[in-house]
Amino acid sequence: MSVIDILTRVDAICNKYDKYDVEKQKNLNVSGDDAFARGYAAVDAEIEAALEKAELASKEKSKASIVALNAELRRTKAKLLEEVPKLQRLAIKKVKGLSTEDFAARNDLVLALPDRIQAIPDGSAAAAKQPGGWGPSASHTEIKFDSDGRFDDEYFQESEQSNQFRQEHETRKRRQDQGLEMISEGLDTLKNMAHDMNEELDRQVPLADEIDSKVDKAASDLKNTNVRLKHTVTQLRSSRNFCIDIVLLIVILGIAAYLYNVLKK
Amino acid sequence: MSSDPDKLVAKADKLTKLTLTRWSADWRNATLNYEQAANAYRVAKKYGKAKDAFEQASKGQEMLSSPWDAAKHMESAAALAKEIGNWNEVADLYRRASELYVECGRAQPASDALGKAARAVEDHLPDVAVQLYTDAISLLEEDDKDQMAFDLYRALTAVYIKLEKYTDAAAALLRLGLAADKSSATNSQFKAYLGAIIVYLYAHDVKAAEKCYNDCSQISAFLGSDQGRCGSRLISAYSEGDVEEIKRLAQSSTISHLDHAIIKLGRKLPTGEVTAVKAGTEEGEGLDENDLT
């Protein structure tokens, strides 16, 4: 075993048995019945232990054990996060015998706790982006301000960029307005034409009806006339009449021929 | 039948003249001859003779108791008279044709004939044209065919504007609005009202224009329509003396959809002093207060 190993081992053993070191405890707990200090110390210790476990997990080769260790880490983190609000409440309480600086420092310490807890690597830290803490500048998780909260005079001054942007915005808006005006005029014309067409059609409806009735009358007259014509024509030129005509013609010719013969003699 | 029109006319004349041998005129043949002669003359561009021939043919048809053909011939005669440029005769012939159409009981062609007459003479005898248009319109209105009258109203308005009789023009437009109302042609009605307002403003009679606008606003649909809004903006622009606004409104698309004659008037707005109107209204209010006490 090397010297370094021995030293590490000795450190670990000392840490383990620190709680039996009465003097050290006295120094740690400035006022033994200060709930905050006790709670804070406990959380601190837990964080350290979690960090150690995380280091162990990163060194592990087998995946299963890594997963198990990570799960345990996450559980510890959740528990610690629950403790934080309690500590916050305790931090605000004034305790006798405590200097003002210490008091202010306590607040900061409590506020820094969640960060430290989240910072414990548990295999999922890399994936999610760390959300902004309850710092003074960021208000919402997604919105990021370029200026980091420096709302001083310089911030509201016009910059070249913003001027240009505004100008471009106005030119584009003007062009859009022009286009829209042209469209609006075109639509006006269309509306007017449509109205006129409507009126024209209204005007022509009764005319069309009149045409309809007149054409109907003419058609029926025509049909009547056709039927009568057909009757007349059949009557005039039926085949029976034809035969009678021919026969009579032959008879007359015969009589004429007979008379001719008689007269010739 | 010889195709020489003179000979035809002579023959037809002989047929119609009553002599010892002829106791009754043979109108049928005579009319045929007259028609042929007239067509031949028209082709030969002898308009005067053609016109006379048509008149004779028309008389013949009348004798044959067919007023329709008579009217048609009369119209042809009138058209030829137009070619000659004898305006009074044109008006007379068309009137005669219209009467014959009325005899047939057909109001539409009668009014058409009068309309054609008016259009022919409006450049030369505008007053006669006015009379003809009015008669044509009354013919149609008696027959309840208001919608056909719109075109006649518009032409009448144009003639009035040319004669610079602006009150008459505005009155004609209002009558057009009335006719449109009867046949529920709202678009034409509103355009007519807006036109009347513009005519009054052009004649620089702002009071009358305002009165006209108020009268027309009785019809709620007009108030809310495009034309109504344009009218109200014009009136308010006039009462405020805002020349720029008037000019801008005159270029707007609403006015561009009106009749040509009215668009021309609109573009020439404002006429005369516009600012004086404001002072006039203030004075008027002072007097009113005195009267009320």
Side-chain angles (χ1 to χ4, degrees):
Chain A
M1 245 207 276
S2 63
V3 179
I4 300 177
D5 282 335
I6 298 175
L7 279 172
T8 340
R9 275 195 172 189
V10 167
D11 258 333
I13 295 172
C14 281
N15 274 342
K16 209 164 155 192
Y17 291 106
D18 251 345
K19 58 183 177 193
Y20 299 115
D21 189 353
V22 180
E23 253 188 63
K24 206 168 179 196
Q25 293 293 9
K26 268 208 206 120
N27 285 341
L28 270 179
N29 298 351
V30 170
S31 39
D33 42 4
D34 184 359
F36 173 80
R38 261 184 284 131
Y40 186 78
V43 172
D44 222 12
E46 296 260 284
I47 292 179
E48 296 289 320
L51 277 166
E52 268 186 37
K53 249 195 251 170
E55 246 200 80
L56 210 65
S58 62
K59 287 210 195 93
E60 273 284 333
K61 293 283 183 213
S62 104
K63 288 271 183 181
S65 37
I66 292 182
V67 168
L69 281 167
N70 277 341
E72 233 191 272
L73 275 171
R74 268 179 241 136
R75 243 183 292 136
T76 335
K77 270 162 79 171
K79 213 170 33 128
L80 288 172
L81 280 170
E82 274 171 23
E83 298 274 310
V84 169
K86 256 194 284 175
L87 272 177
Q88 265 186 326
R89 265 178 275 133
L90 282 172
I92 302 175
K93 267 202 262 172
K94 264 261 187 205
V95 182
K96 61 173 187 260
L98 197 61
S99 67
T100 35
E101 293 151 356
D102 257 346
F103 185 65
R106 276 191 185 183
N107 241 334
D108 286 335
L109 282 170
V110 173
L111 287 167
L113 266 181
D115 271 335
R116 285 172 62 196
I117 297 175
Q118 297 288 14
I120 302 173
D122 65 349
S124 68
K129 212 170 172 192
Q130 295 298 342
W134 292 282
S137 58
S139 51
H140 193 263
T141 50
E142 280 90 47
I143 298 177
K144 291 218 175 277
F145 284 130
D146 280 339
S147 61
D148 298 325
R150 289 180 290 115
F151 293 105
D152 51 4
D153 272 334
E154 202 186 80
Y155 187 74
F156 286 121
Q157 277 294 11
E158 280 190 337
S159 76
E160 170 108 8
Q161 259 186 343
S162 76
N163 253 348
Q164 254 184 347
F165 181 74
R166 192 184 311 144
Q167 264 181 348
E168 208 186 309
H169 173 260
E170 301 215 334
T171 0
R172 297 241 178 120
K173 206 164 85 152
R174 239 181 296 133
R175 223 175 284 157
Q176 273 187 359
D177 279 340
Q178 274 175 350
L180 281 173
E181 257 189 58
M182 283 182 57
I183 294 180
S184 135
E185 261 182 57
L187 281 175
D188 257 339
T189 317
L190 270 177
K191 176 173 163 214
N192 185 49
M193 291 202 327
H195 268 295
D196 285 341
M197 273 165 51
N198 188 19
E199 285 182 10
E200 191 63 35
L201 282 169
D202 281 338
R203 204 201 289 205
Q204 299 198 344
V205 161
L207 294 177
D209 286 336
E210 232 182 272
I211 291 179
D212 198 25
S213 58
K214 284 203 181 147
V215 165
D216 278 338
K217 189 157 109 44
S220 70
D221 277 346
L222 209 61
K223 233 192 273 189
N224 266 347
T225 316
N226 271 347
V227 166
R228 287 216 313 259
L229 198 63
K230 199 166 111 175
H231 277 157
T232 323
V233 166
T234 15
Q235 245 184 2
L236 280 175
R237 299 176 101 239
S238 66
S239 29
R240 198 186 55 156
N241 290 352
F242 245 154
C243 294
I244 293 177
D245 287 337
I246 292 175
V247 162
L248 284 173
L249 257 173
I250 294 178
V251 165
I252 288 174
L253 277 173
I255 294 175
Y258 178 69
L259 279 173
Y260 179 67
N261 278 340
V262 163
L263 283 173
K264 205 168 83 167
K265 274 205 214 127
Chain B
M1 293 284 184
S2 61
S3 54
D4 183 15
D6 292 320
K7 281 218 198 85
L8 285 167
V9 171
K11 215 158 153 199
D13 279 335
K14 253 199 309 189
L15 284 168
T16 55
K17 228 187 295 269
L18 293 172
T19 61
L20 278 171
T21 49
R22 199 180 289 279
W23 290 74
S24 65
D26 180 9
W27 282 111
R28 199 182 314 256
N29 285 330
T31 318
L32 268 166
N33 282 337
Y34 279 129
E35 281 171 19
Q36 279 181 343
N39 285 329
Y41 277 131
R42 191 171 31 191
V43 165
K45 296 215 196 290
K46 291 210 190 111
Y47 294 128
K49 291 230 171 92
K51 177 175 73 74
D52 290 329
F54 267 123
E55 281 181 51
Q56 298 281 44
S58 161
K59 197 160 85 137
Q61 292 285 13
E62 241 187 286
M63 294 299 172
L64 291 173
S65 352
S66 67
W68 179 260
D69 293 311
K72 275 226 137 28
H73 288 315
M74 208 43 105
E75 262 196 85
S76 324
L80 290 166
K82 195 170 75 171
E83 300 282 325
I84 304 176
N86 193 342
W87 307 114
N88 279 320
E89 218 176 328
V90 167
D92 283 333
L93 288 171
Y94 268 122
R95 260 196 209 282
R96 189 93 192 85
S98 148
E99 278 165 29
L100 287 165
Y101 278 127
V102 168
E103 234 181 271
C104 294
R106 308 278 293 276
Q108 178 84 35
S111 138
D112 278 344
L114 287 175
K116 274 189 244 177
R119 222 156 287 141
V121 304
E122 67 185 0
D123 289 327
H124 307 269
L125 299 168
D127 299 310
V128 174
V130 161
Q131 189 59 42
L132 286 166
Y133 275 128
T134 331
D135 291 337
I137 292 171
S138 48
L139 268 175
L140 282 175
E141 287 193 335
E142 270 166 35
D143 216 28
D144 274 343
K145 288 199 174 38
D146 290 285
Q147 283 201 307
M148 313 296 171
F150 291 169
D151 291 324
L152 292 166
Y153 273 121
R154 288 195 198 111
L156 179 62
T157 317
V159 172
Y160 273 132
I161 290 177
K162 253 201 312 198
L163 291 172
E164 302 202 354
K165 291 197 189 148
Y166 296 118
T167 29
D168 289 329
L173 280 168
L174 289 171
R175 269 163 57 199
L176 169 55
L178 176 64
D181 190 41
K182 263 209 289 184
S183 29
S184 5
T186 47
N187 204 30
S188 294
Q189 184 185 10
F190 298 157
K191 289 205 285 206
Y193 287 151
L194 183 59
I197 295 175
I198 290 180
V199 166
Y200 276 129
L201 286 175
Y202 186 76
H204 208 51
D205 194 356
V206 186
K207 289 265 178 327
E210 266 185 65
K211 211 160 54 77
C212 181
Y213 176 73
N214 288 334
D215 286 337
C216 301
S217 309
Q218 301 295 323
I219 303 169
S220 52
F222 178 68
L223 262 183
S225 76
D226 257 350
Q227 287 87 5
R229 274 196 291 269
C230 188
S232 88
R233 293 217 311 255
L234 265 176
I235 302 266
S236 59
Y238 254 93
S239 55
E240 284 167 19
D242 189 354
V243 182
E244 286 306 312
E245 174 79 10
I246 297 175
K247 285 215 177 73
R248 210 157 40 81
L249 280 173
Q251 306 297 327
S252 76
S253 61
T254 320
I255 299 208
S256 313
H257 293 319
L258 301 174
D259 234 3
H260 290 304
I262 304 180
I263 298 179
K264 273 191 279 200
L265 291 186
R267 300 261 190 267
K268 293 206 201 118
L269 283 176
T271 52
E273 275 298 305
V274 179
T275 48
V277 181
K278 207 168 173 193
T281 48
E282 282 176 12
E283 248 182 61
E285 281 176 30
L287 282 170
D288 275 347
E289 282 179 22
N290 287 338
D291 283 345
L292 284 170
T293 47

